[in-house]
Amino acid sequence: MSTKVRTADTRERILTAACEVIAEIGFEKIRMRMVAERAGVSTALLHYHFDTREKLFTEAMTHSFANTAVDVERDAGTASAAVILARIVRNLLPTDPQLHQDWRLWQELWVRALRDETTRVFAVDLYAQLHAWVAGALRRGIASGEFTPTDVDDLSTLVLSLSDGYGIRLMLRDPTVTLETALMSIWRPVSAALGLPETVPTG
């Protein structure tokens, strides 16, 4: 294994461990030693890759988002635009254990962003990336003729806003909101704007 590959593998293990530990105990309680132990590396090696908790946190958030995006877009060249968009909507909600963990990271980000300007700027940038992700899927569907033309930026903002709102209710285990009702409530205005059936596509 080359040095480059070993370095990439080490960073991957550290970032995965950081996501797990931050989600479990919260950013304010995290210690670099905890992440090093979870990743199976020395504290010195952890500090070599990430010299501060803040840098580790932002890299972990970026890592989490990037992994989700890669999974959703795995067959974007062959899957229908509606299927890709539906996957994105599902992945914007805590629909499985991994996404539940990601949501805990987002909640940590929101709280920290209220008190720290650097984190606030990072959070705004990360939302811009999410917006571009949704908008890209919408534009592909419009370009292929699968979607009715619409204001892409407005609809992308609506998708993110609804996903945040319903996602919080799901994380709180609000008995009045289920995953199915959340998905339908988000998909209904999206499908109406794009000329699609109200049933959320699978695949």
Side-chain angles (χ1 to χ4, degrees):
M1 185 183 294
S2 69
T3 300
K4 184 177 181 179
V5 171
R6 283 198 302 272
T7 298
D9 179 67
T10 298
R11 286 180 63 87
E12 174 76 20
R13 284 191 290 125
I14 290 172
L15 290 171
T16 298
C19 289
E20 293 172 359
V21 176
I22 294 168
E24 287 173 13
I25 68 172
F27 177 75
E28 297 304 327
K29 294 182 180 178
I30 196 174
R31 298 293 178 268
M32 299 291 265
R33 171 183 51 79
M34 298 174 183
V35 176
E37 289 175 355
R38 180 70 62 93
V41 301
S42 68
T43 305
L45 183 57
L46 174 61
H47 279 284
Y48 170 78
H49 287 282
F50 306 98
D51 54 356
T52 66
R53 287 193 316 155
E54 288 72 18
K55 183 176 181 181
L56 178 60
F57 179 54
T58 56
E59 289 279 353
M61 288 294 306
T62 302
H63 172 77
S64 172
F65 169 61
N67 281 351
T68 299
V70 167
D71 178 61
V72 169
E73 303 276 353
R74 62 187 180 276
D75 57 354
T78 56
S80 71
V83 165
I84 295 297
L85 183 59
R87 284 183 194 165
I88 290 175
V89 170
R90 286 191 178 90
N91 278 269
L92 289 172
L93 295 171
T95 52
D96 62 33
Q98 181 60 52
L99 291 167
H100 191 275
Q101 174 180 289
D102 291 348
W103 257 87
R104 291 177 72 93
L105 293 177
W106 274 98
Q107 290 173 315
E108 291 292 324
L109 178 68
W110 291 335
V111 171
R112 184 160 178 75
L114 294 175
R115 302 187 179 99
D116 179 76
E117 177 62 14
T118 300
T119 306
R120 185 196 67 78
V121 172
F122 171 72
V124 170
D125 180 68
L126 204 52
Y127 263 106
Q129 293 180 51
L130 283 174
H131 185 98
W133 188 35
V134 176
L138 294 175
R139 290 193 176 98
R140 283 201 302 269
I142 292 170
S144 68
E146 188 176 342
F147 297 164
T148 299
T150 190
D151 188 315
V152 169
D153 285 332
D154 278 356
L155 189 57
S156 298
T157 297
L158 179 64
V159 168
L160 293 179
S161 298
L162 289 173
S163 297
D164 279 350
Y166 280 105
I168 290 170
R169 302 279 291 279
L170 290 169
M171 290 296 289
L172 292 173
R173 299 192 297 278
D174 184 333
T176 66
V177 178
T178 67
L179 177 58
E180 186 62 31
T181 59
L183 283 170
M184 286 303 301
S185 296
I186 297 169
W187 189 257
R188 192 175 297 114
V190 170
S191 62
L194 299 176
L196 299 173
E198 282 195 2
T199 303
V200 183
T202 58

